Amino acid sequence: MIKGVMFDFSGTLFRIESAAQWLRAVTAKAALDVPEGELEACVSRLEEFGAQPGGVPPRTVPPHLRALWLERDLTAERHRAAFTALAREAELPAADLAEALYERSQVSGAWLPYPDTEETLRALRRRGIPVAVVSNIGWDMRPVFRDHGIDSLVDAYFLSFERGVKKPDPRIFQMACDKLAVAPGDALMVGDEPDADTGAATLGCRVHLVDPLPVDQRPGALAEVLQLL
């Protein structure tokens, strides 16, 4: 019987804006007049290097950045350094845009909840089932939950950069289970990254994976969680 649920953040409960929207928002704020073709080419390069936090994973990580990339979620400093470095590899229209892009990735307006995020969390709250967010991340996304009006539906947050441990290490899942006061065998982990989120199964937690599609392409995957209870 499921007595507590852990959710991933990016690609599970929320999804960041597209890379094109991300870059356009930053160039517009900087009042840069960038030709359309150049913008589109830069978007492709940003996606190639996976330079958008919460966006598509990199297809290419330059050798000199691989070690930093692997450790990006352990501290806020490494996270910023990794993603700004990858952005610079994408030959941005202006050199200082790497920092601006990183800052944009932490703005609540850049993130949208999936259509069934709130209703799923509210249904769990009505059933008395506690909820934790367990995320590999390098910044505090609690304001995103607050600004979208659903922070009150989350009982605890376990963020890798705060805990110094990241998924799939079972320790971070155990921390969440302890906080929720549920045994791992009575917990469910819902996420979108098989390599990371299935680490909860090591403890005996059930795991349910969703597809990290754009928000408008995934209307009801989280509602399926309620059928597992």
Side-chain angles (χ1 to χ4, degrees):
M1 183 179 194
I2 299 300
K3 298 179 180 179
V5 181
M6 298 174 282
F7 287 96
D8 178 47
F9 167 57
S10 175
T12 301
L13 293 176
F14 283 82
R15 175 68 188 254
I16 199 168
E17 63 193 349
S18 70
Q21 292 170 317
W22 182 53
L23 179 60
R24 289 178 193 280
V26 169
T27 55
K29 185 176 182 179
L32 291 177
D33 185 14
V34 184
E36 184 64 24
E38 185 177 338
L39 274 175
E40 292 177 355
C42 188
V43 167
S44 295
R45 293 192 297 270
L46 287 167
E47 291 181 334
E48 172 72 22
F49 290 108
Q52 184 186 30
V56 298
R59 295 187 291 273
T60 302
V61 175
H64 65 284
L65 295 178
R66 286 176 187 163
L68 182 60
W69 173 254
L70 292 174
E71 297 182 344
R72 68 193 182 281
D73 293 320
L74 291 176
T75 69
E77 294 75 19
R78 292 176 194 172
H79 195 269
R80 177 183 287 272
F83 281 102
T84 54
L86 289 171
R88 292 186 185 96
E89 293 287 329
E91 301 174 28
L92 299 170
D96 59 349
L97 285 188
E99 292 291 339
L101 284 167
Y102 187 78
E103 294 297 332
R104 171 70 187 178
S105 72
Q106 299 182 19
V107 173
S108 296
W111 292 88
L112 286 175
Y114 281 95
D116 54 347
T117 290
E118 182 173 352
E119 64 186 67
T120 300
L121 294 178
R122 288 197 180 281
L124 291 170
R125 180 54 52 96
R126 287 193 298 270
R127 297 187 189 195
I129 297 176
V131 167
V133 171
V134 182
S135 177
N136 284 351
I137 197 167
W139 56 281
D140 183 5
M141 74 328 209
R142 292 175 182 86
V144 175
F145 285 79
R146 288 198 295 268
D147 291 344
H148 285 276
I150 60 174
D151 181 57
S152 63
L153 303 176
V154 177
D155 298 286
Y157 294 84
F158 289 84
L159 313 183
S160 61
F161 84 102
E162 293 179 339
R163 304 289 172 168
V165 60
K166 64 178 184 174
K167 301 179 291 186
D169 192 315
R171 288 178 294 172
I172 196 167
F173 301 108
Q174 185 67 62
M175 292 175 193
C177 289
D178 290 345
K179 181 66 175 180
L180 298 182
V182 298
D186 294 328
L188 172 67
M189 175 65 205
V190 183
D192 66 287
E193 295 185 22
D195 290 345
D197 296 315
T198 55
T202 304
L203 296 176
C205 303
R206 292 181 63 181
V207 176
H208 178 69
L209 296 175
V210 295
D211 197 338
L213 294 168
V215 166
D216 60 354
Q217 296 178 28
R218 208 195 76 190
L222 291 176
E224 296 175 3
V225 171
L226 301 176
Q227 300 172 17
L228 301 175
L229 302 181

